[in-house]
Amino acid sequence: MAEEAKAKGNAAFSAGDFPTAIRHFSEAIDLAPTNHVLYSNRSAAYASLNKYSEALTDAKKTVELKPDWSKGYSRLGAAHLGLAHYDDAVSAYKKGLEYDPNNEALKSGLADAQASASRSRAGPPPPGNNLFGDAFSGPEMWAKLTADPSTRAYLQQPDFVKMMQEIQKNPSNLNLYLKDQRVMQALGVLLNLKFRTPTSEDTEMPESSPSPSSPPERKRAAEPEPVKVPEPEPEPEPMELTEEEREKKERKAQAVSEKELGNAAYKKKDFDTAIAHYTKAMELDDEDISYLMNRAATYLEMGQYEDCIKDCDKAVERGRELRSDFKMIAKALTRKGSALVKMAKTSKDYEPAIESFQKALTEHRNPDTLKKRNDAEKAKKELEQQEYFDPKVADEEREKGNEYFKQQKYPEAIKHYTESLKRNPKDPRAYSNRAACYTKLGALPEGLKDAEKCIELDPTFSKGYNRKGAVQFFMKEYDKALETYQEGLKHDPSNQELLDGVKRCVEQINKASRGDLTPDELKERQAKGMQDPEIQNILQDPVMRQVLIDFQENPKAAQEHTKNPMVMNKIQKLVSAGIVQIR
């Protein structure tokens, strides 16, 4: 809870909302009253509001709680400086430097405090002297720049902060930086003048990085006052880490480095080195399953599938304990499935792989995982067919089906023909026989499908054409049936079943041509014909429409049309369908 309140305070401080920052830091102090960093941060917030007395109280508490922490003396010196206690400020900065001699903030603060002390003893400068120098001096400069939205972002840019510090030390340096739009904007803010704010097109913004936050603002007096040199305050520091937390953080950083080394080795296909680095990363940090995942991927590339599966299982188990991202869990399960597919030798071996892919899809539906699962299911089915393939058993099952067919037990026959096809899916005879059973049972679409498969497997097998023609005849598609029988006769010209089929089809077609159909038969045939896409295309053809009109109204033109085989073929189809009658 204290950490959460502190984080909110830091965010408010960074946004320039100092009252809110103070409130959150106070809440954190109530929860962790011995945390010196919280007092340090609140001291900075108070100083930003010109509340130097409160800032001094918190700074003293910081030093009391952590006497060897140089940052506390930096806060103490800034508070004294704000209260114009220059000698106390000098003492505070010097004390801090005893603990951290190389601290630049303390060195800068000491120099500013000593300069302010000297100027204080010398008295204020004459009125009207060095107007710009007064604008750039004192803690109010940083506060004004922080408070104004047009310049607040500049304080996050190290080069801008450095320029302002140079100008603050020697106002004559302003001439060196007048070409910088940011300095001109800052000058306008400090002098209460409205300059045009440069846009992103006017100037390129440097990369932002953490920089000192601004000291407090105070109203400028009408007459010059003794200058108080500020210490640019860095943003509140993170919560002081315990030794254990610091060590853990270092180990995590080392683990990331090992992972990067492993990745580099993996790209070079130096898998043994990659394994060593990923293993080292895992030893340093067991709260990141990506190291296990990467090692599993390396094992997969090496063909060490069992090791890959073990790492994936560990990653899933550890990931659930750590409540890792569900996408990571899914990735581990997918990788496990890939390893299992590589190991699969029988159709049964694909089952755990498919299960792993399905679990991964439950965690996160990923197109790549879905494709892997579908591919595994397809491979399993193909392998099952290969394992089940036995032509001898297929023939035995087909003969059993034939016996049931003779007994007119068609469902039982279909069962055995189906088993025969499982044992040998390339046998056209089993498809032909099953088509005959479906036809007897009135399952015409299924019979047509089997007959077409039979012809596909063996285009010279006359039985296939006979089966297909019979189904089409029963479906009253006489033109199509006739074409099928005629196609079969090309392969077996003397086949009596095919010849009889042709005869039956011709009789039915002529019956429609002569107008011998009953009204019900004609109506049924017309309805069926109108559902035929080929008939629909003929009727929608503008040329054929004109032909039909000519047959009714222009006998001479009709005679010319009869000389065209393609036209007469289409006319014959319309006649067979009962759409057109020739008298």
Side-chain angles (χ1 to χ4, degrees):
M1 294 296 290
E3 181 68 26
E4 182 181 352
K6 171 178 167 291
K8 291 179 179 178
N10 289 349
F13 188 97
S14 298
D17 186 358
F18 304 120
T20 301
I22 290 171
R23 177 165 55 82
H24 287 304
F25 289 139
S26 298
E27 291 173 0
I29 288 172
D30 290 339
L31 296 167
T34 59
N35 190 321
H36 61 284
V37 177
L38 298 177
Y39 290 99
S40 171
N41 290 359
R42 192 171 69 175
S43 175
Y46 276 131
S48 298
L49 292 174
N50 298 335
K51 296 183 178 182
Y52 296 113
S53 296
E54 291 85 345
L56 181 61
T57 301
D58 276 353
K60 288 180 176 179
K61 185 66 175 180
T62 303
V63 172
E64 177 188 332
L65 291 171
K66 189 74 171 174
D68 59 347
W69 192 44
S70 60
K71 185 66 178 181
Y73 296 99
S74 179
R75 299 296 190 208
L76 188 61
H80 280 306
L81 200 58
L83 292 169
H85 301 163
Y86 303 123
D87 292 337
D88 291 334
V90 169
S91 299
Y93 286 127
K94 285 183 176 179
K95 186 67 174 178
L97 286 169
E98 292 178 9
Y99 294 104
D100 189 359
N102 297 319
N103 189 297
E104 292 299 327
L106 288 170
K107 290 180 180 179
S108 176
L110 176 60
D112 291 342
Q114 289 173 335
S116 295
S118 298
R119 285 194 290 268
S120 177
R121 296 189 190 97
N129 185 41
N130 198 11
L131 175 62
F132 282 0
D134 183 58
F136 285 106
S137 66
E140 66 270 17
M141 181 193 81
W142 299 102
K144 280 189 176 184
L145 296 179
T146 300
D148 194 287
S150 66
T151 55
R152 184 183 301 147
Y154 298 157
L155 296 176
Q156 302 298 318
Q157 300 168 16
D159 62 329
F160 174 77
V161 173
K162 185 176 180 181
M163 284 190 289
M164 297 306 293
Q165 288 174 339
E166 290 293 329
I167 295 171
Q168 196 174 44
K169 290 178 182 178
N170 185 2
S172 63
N173 288 334
L174 176 62
N175 295 324
L176 301 176
Y177 304 117
L178 285 177
K179 291 184 179 181
D180 193 300
Q181 291 288 349
R182 295 170 295 170
V183 173
M184 291 300 295
Q185 184 68 20
L187 181 60
V189 170
L190 296 173
L191 295 177
N192 294 321
L193 299 176
K194 293 295 182 181
F195 289 167
R196 182 178 69 90
T197 303
T199 62
S200 58
E201 287 81 11
D202 298 325
T203 180
E204 183 178 353
M205 297 294 286
E207 293 285 338
S208 63
S209 61
S211 69
S213 54
S214 55
E217 176 188 6
R218 60 181 174 82
K219 294 182 179 178
R220 295 184 57 195
E223 295 296 327
E225 296 180 5
V227 178
K228 298 179 181 179
V229 181
E231 175 208 2
E233 291 287 347
E235 292 185 8
E237 299 188 6
M239 183 75 75
E240 189 77 0
L241 300 176
T242 64
E243 189 65 32
E244 182 181 352
E245 290 172 333
R246 188 161 33 250
E247 182 181 349
K248 183 177 180 180
K249 186 176 180 180
E250 291 173 357
R251 288 171 65 87
K252 282 183 176 291
Q254 292 174 17
V256 172
S257 298
E258 290 292 336
K259 177 183 176 181
E260 291 173 353
L261 291 172
N263 292 346
Y266 180 90
K267 291 177 182 177
K268 295 178 182 178
K269 296 192 179 297
D270 185 1
F271 298 131
D272 289 331
T273 301
I275 291 289
H277 285 300
Y278 292 141
T279 302
K280 180 64 176 177
M282 290 160 49
E283 293 171 354
L284 290 167
D285 181 10
D286 66 345
E287 294 182 353
D288 188 339
I289 64 172
S290 67
Y291 309 138
L292 266 170
M293 298 280 295
N294 287 11
R295 191 172 74 173
T298 309
Y299 280 136
L300 185 64
E301 286 292 324
M302 296 172 71
Q304 296 179 214
Y305 304 126
E306 291 183 356
D307 290 329
C308 172
I309 292 169
K310 288 178 182 177
D311 273 1
C312 289
D313 286 337
K314 289 178 184 176
V316 172
E317 181 182 357
R318 186 63 177 147
R320 295 197 192 285
E321 291 175 359
L322 298 170
R323 297 187 178 181
S324 300
D325 187 346
F326 55 86
K327 292 181 182 179
M328 291 292 288
I329 304 294
K331 193 173 182 180
L333 289 166
T334 299
R335 191 156 291 162
K336 176 183 177 180
S338 299
L340 289 166
V341 165
K342 294 284 188 180
M343 296 174 65
K345 295 180 180 178
T346 67
S347 59
K348 285 283 186 183
D349 293 339
Y350 278 95
E351 292 179 0
I354 294 170
E355 181 184 2
S356 188
F357 288 137
Q358 189 57 48
K359 287 181 178 179
L361 289 170
T362 303
E363 296 287 340
H364 174 58
R365 196 162 185 83
N366 179 281
D368 181 59
T369 303
L370 182 62
K371 183 179 184 302
K372 288 178 183 290
R373 187 202 64 182
N374 292 341
D375 290 345
E377 289 176 341
K378 182 180 178 182
K380 177 177 181 287
K381 186 176 180 179
E382 291 175 353
L383 204 52
E384 283 176 340
Q385 291 178 347
Q386 294 175 16
E387 293 167 349
Y388 211 62
F389 182 78
D390 190 332
K392 183 178 179 180
V393 175
D395 290 341
E396 292 174 357
E397 290 294 330
R398 182 168 49 80
E399 288 300 328
K400 291 178 182 178
N402 292 345
E403 290 298 322
Y404 280 110
F405 186 89
K406 292 175 184 177
Q407 300 172 27
Q408 299 183 358
K409 296 180 179 180
Y410 305 120
E412 289 82 355
I414 288 175
K415 179 181 177 182
H416 287 288
Y417 291 141
T418 302
E419 181 62 25
S420 175
L421 288 169
K422 287 181 179 179
R423 293 291 184 174
N424 184 8
K426 302 296 183 182
D427 185 2
R429 296 171 297 176
Y431 280 109
S432 172
N433 293 359
R434 193 169 69 173
C437 288
Y438 281 133
T439 305
K440 291 290 185 181
L441 292 171
L444 301 182
E446 290 81 359
L448 181 62
K449 185 178 179 181
D450 271 2
E452 290 176 338
K453 185 66 177 178
C454 173
I455 295 171
E456 177 189 330
L457 291 172
D458 187 356
T460 65
F461 188 45
S462 59
K463 279 283 187 183
Y465 296 99
N466 190 48
R467 302 299 187 206
K468 182 178 179 180
V471 172
Q472 291 170 325
F473 187 88
F474 286 121
M475 296 172 76
K476 299 184 179 181
E477 296 177 349
Y478 303 120
D479 278 334
K480 293 182 179 179
L482 180 60
E483 290 176 2
T484 299
Y485 286 132
Q486 290 173 340
E487 184 67 26
L489 287 169
K490 292 179 182 179
H491 302 288
D492 189 359
S494 59
N495 187 289
Q496 191 59 47
E497 289 182 331
L498 294 174
L499 291 170
D500 291 342
V502 170
K503 184 179 179 182
R504 289 195 303 273
C505 290
V506 171
E507 288 176 355
Q508 289 296 323
I509 292 171
N510 289 338
K511 188 177 179 181
S513 301
R514 294 192 302 268
D516 293 341
L517 296 174
T518 65
D520 289 340
E521 287 176 334
L522 179 61
K523 186 176 180 180
E524 181 184 357
R525 186 171 294 191
Q526 288 175 339
K528 194 169 188 65
M530 291 303 293
Q531 295 176 359
D532 189 331
E534 187 176 6
I535 298 297
Q536 293 174 4
N537 289 334
I538 293 173
L539 293 174
Q540 291 172 1
D541 185 349
V543 175
M544 285 305 300
R545 285 184 179 182
Q546 185 59 48
V547 169
L548 293 174
I549 293 173
D550 289 343
F551 266 92
Q552 289 180 323
E553 302 175 356
N554 192 342
K556 186 176 179 179
Q559 286 183 353
E560 291 297 321
H561 291 317
T562 58
K563 297 176 183 179
N564 188 328
M566 290 181 62
V567 169
M568 290 309 297
N569 183 47
K570 292 180 179 180
I571 292 291
Q572 186 58 53
K573 288 182 182 295
L574 294 176
V575 171
S576 299
I579 305 299
V580 172
Q581 292 184 350
I582 299 177
R583 299 185 184 279

